[in-house]
Amino acid sequence: MLSSSQEQKIWNALNGFNIEIPSWGFANTGTRFGKFVQLTAATTIDEKLSDAGEVHKYTGCCPSVAVHVLWDFAKGKQSVAEVNEAAARHGVRVGAINPNVFQDQIYKHGSLGNPDPEIRAAALGHLLDSVEIAKQTGSRDISLWFGDGSNFPGTANIRHRKQWFIEGLKETHAHMTPNQRLLVEYKPFEPTFYHTDIADWGMALLMARASGPQARVLVDTGHHYQAQNIEQIVAWLLSENMLAGFHFNDRRYADDDLTLGSIDPYQVFRIFNEIALFEFETGKRADLAYMIDQSHNLKNKVEEMIQTATTAQELMAKASLVDHESLLEHQRKCNLIDAEECLKSAFAEDVRPAIEQWRKSKGLDINPMRAFRESGYLTRTAAERGERHRNAVSSYA
Ligand code: AFD
Ligand code: MN
Ligand code: MN
């Protein structure tokens, strides 16, 4: 049973925790082996924002939506006003702006890292357009992920590409307003398999530093090798004031976009613990963007996003219960078991009753998933959207 001071810690933590949801998580996507179409999936940005609005309506912690420039701004900068209006109409706002320099044919050999200066210039043009869109949506973060790399030894000059990236990122950074941030995301492999130009947190840190003072590193939890210690990376970046935030998901083998906490909830708890300990010791709130980056293939898209947001709340609430005074004391004295037990005992606490009471205090249903399911939203969207998806796949049962 939690004490009242523990419940207060949880409420304080929940009051300060929002997690951004990705527009691309609501559309039908798949793997390279195929796509299992969902009749309720969103197609247009308005439908994606409608679905996102449902997640926020029932969880109360997802007020902003990360958007993808090519997929969500059909007319580029001309569509910003209608996207802003649609977001407001659905009770959310536009969050991070994600440029896309990985799918157009010209990017076959890379974008900012392409040996062809005209293709590098085209990629830079898209990044600068994305900065302009961010100004019009009022978004602080321009979130950069590059699929650049190569598949075979000897086919790419790694040092030249590094320099081209630095040039492109510096130019992009120079176009931002003082309150914007450039988020540099890393990924060890995929879509390329021999080398990826920004493959790990060290490369992302150097790229961010070279770009300018408003650039930071974005940690996507699915972008690490097996058994990599992600919370150690988080602690280092916090210590360097270079952590922008997260793309949360879970992984079994690679960048699997599995539901946050479905495979290793203790790892997510340890990440939140490093942040909470940093905040306790420095007395400063870590200014981090918590974002989900999942593109759901099998579970229902809206339901999985609700599940992800409530799981994030639970793991963050557990981390808020760690007794930091005792932990620091035990660390100083190398009381190994006592130090470890500070984490394990907090992780073992059942925080759900306290979270339910918090939801009640906010006028939310204590069970967001049940409330969403009872709303009939999926029945309505299946009726409105199902036919087009059925037509899209003739073999749909
Ligand atoms: C893919 C990439 C990367 C990026 C995301 C959204 O691996 O995580 O952030 O798409 O563009 O998951
Ligand atoms: Mn990501
Ligand atoms: Mn990814």
Side-chain angles (χ1 to χ4, degrees):
M1 185 72 176
L2 293 180
S3 67
S4 55
S5 73
Q6 284 179 310
E7 285 181 349
Q8 193 54 56
K9 275 187 178 180
I10 291 172
W11 279 39
N12 293 344
L14 290 169
N15 286 335
F17 181 73
N18 285 328
I19 188 164
E20 187 162 291
I21 43 187
S23 66
W24 56 93
F26 297 107
N28 272 320
T29 52
T31 68
R32 59 187 177 143
F33 302 103
K35 186 190 293 187
F36 294 104
V37 167
Q38 298 189 22
L39 295 181
T40 57
T43 305
T44 65
I45 180 59
D46 187 79
E47 291 173 345
K48 294 173 190 175
L49 292 166
S50 172
D51 290 358
E54 292 298 299
V55 178
H56 182 49
K57 179 160 65 174
Y58 293 103
T59 63
C61 65
C62 302
S64 64
V65 183
V67 291
H68 235 283
V69 173
L70 283 195
W71 304 334
D72 296 329
F73 294 86
K75 296 179 303 244
K77 289 181 274 191
Q78 283 64 42
S79 18
V80 172
E82 60 192 67
V83 174
N84 281 340
E85 183 280 326
R89 183 160 24 90
H90 294 299
V92 291
R93 59 178 161 70
V94 173
I97 302 296
N98 290 261
N100 183 325
V101 285
F102 52 80
Q103 73 181 42
D104 286 348
Q105 293 301 306
I106 60 168
Y107 299 130
K108 181 174 181 180
H109 300 299
S111 60
L112 287 188
N114 195 299
D116 181 337
E118 286 184 18
I119 296 176
R120 296 201 298 271
L124 178 60
H126 180 73
L127 296 182
L128 299 185
D129 280 350
S130 302
V131 171
E132 289 313 309
I133 288 173
K135 289 173 187 171
Q136 294 174 40
T137 58
S139 302
R140 178 174 72 155
D141 292 337
I142 294 97
S143 188
L144 306 180
W145 172 72
F146 300 91
D148 286 51
S150 65
N151 279 350
F152 304 99
T155 59
N157 189 307
I158 292 171
R159 285 172 291 102
H160 292 179
R161 296 175 71 99
K162 169 177 176 283
Q163 186 49 39
W164 294 328
F165 258 93
I166 287 172
E167 288 161 10
L169 291 176
K170 278 174 85 166
E171 185 62 23
T172 305
H173 187 287
H175 282 73
M176 295 198 300
T177 58
N179 68 341
Q180 287 181 313
R181 300 192 309 176
L182 202 60
L183 276 47
V184 181
E185 183 177 357
Y186 60 90
K187 183 174 181 180
F189 76 100
E190 191 191 40
T192 54
F193 295 99
Y194 169 68
H195 101 276
T196 296
D197 287 302
I198 307 180
D200 68 22
W201 73 275
M203 296 176 200
L205 177 61
L206 291 172
M207 285 288 173
R209 284 215 167 113
S211 308
Q214 294 164 231
R216 295 288 183 278
V217 175
L218 175 67
V219 174
D220 184 308
T221 51
H223 291 184
H224 298 87
Y225 298 112
Q226 292 292 37
Q228 202 163 359
N229 187 327
I230 301 177
E231 63 269 26
Q232 179 182 6
I233 296 170
V234 168
W236 269 66
L237 291 172
L238 281 169
S239 166
E240 293 291 326
N241 187 30
M242 287 300 287
L243 178 63
F246 298 89
H247 272 179
F248 279 125
N249 45 64
D250 212 340
R251 61 191 291 281
R252 185 85 186 88
Y253 296 100
D255 187 22
D256 313 324
D257 282 3
L258 299 179
T259 312
L260 174 74
S262 60
I263 304 295
D264 188 351
Y266 192 45
Q267 176 184 72
V268 182
F269 166 88
R270 296 195 305 270
I271 288 171
F272 282 127
N273 173 60
E274 284 301 332
I275 296 164
L277 185 59
F278 169 84
E279 293 181 331
F280 176 79
E281 286 198 86
T282 61
K284 283 186 306 186
R285 182 135 177 75
D287 180 12
L288 303 176
Y290 297 103
M291 301 183 273
I292 298 165
D293 179 10
Q294 294 169 182
S295 184
H296 313 138
N297 294 329
L298 303 181
K299 291 178 183 174
N300 173 269
K301 295 178 180 296
V302 180
E303 290 191 352
E304 187 172 356
M305 210 62 85
I306 290 173
Q307 183 186 31
T308 300
T310 53
T311 301
Q313 286 181 310
E314 275 182 47
L315 295 170
M316 190 274 305
K318 286 173 180 278
S320 75
L321 296 180
V322 173
D323 177 347
H324 295 121
E325 285 289 3
S326 302
L327 178 61
L328 291 169
E329 181 70 9
H330 293 316
Q331 286 176 346
R332 260 193 300 276
K333 294 180 177 168
C334 297
N335 298 336
L336 305 185
I337 290 180
D338 303 285
E340 185 190 11
E341 281 306 314
C342 286
L343 270 58
K344 285 167 63 77
S345 57
F347 183 65
E349 292 289 2
D350 183 0
V351 296
R352 289 172 298 180
I355 296 176
E356 288 176 5
Q357 290 312 306
W358 175 82
R359 288 192 181 114
K360 212 169 178 178
S361 76
K362 299 292 181 189
L364 297 165
D365 192 296
I366 60 169
N367 184 324
M369 185 69 81
R370 182 189 60 205
F372 170 69
R373 284 176 168 168
E374 288 172 356
S375 73
Y377 183 82
L378 290 179
T379 307
R380 287 197 303 280
T381 51
E384 289 160 11
R385 309 174 187 175
E387 214 41 47
R388 83 178 80 131
H389 293 308
R390 261 199 200 85
N391 297 337
V393 279
S394 53
S395 62
Y396 195 95

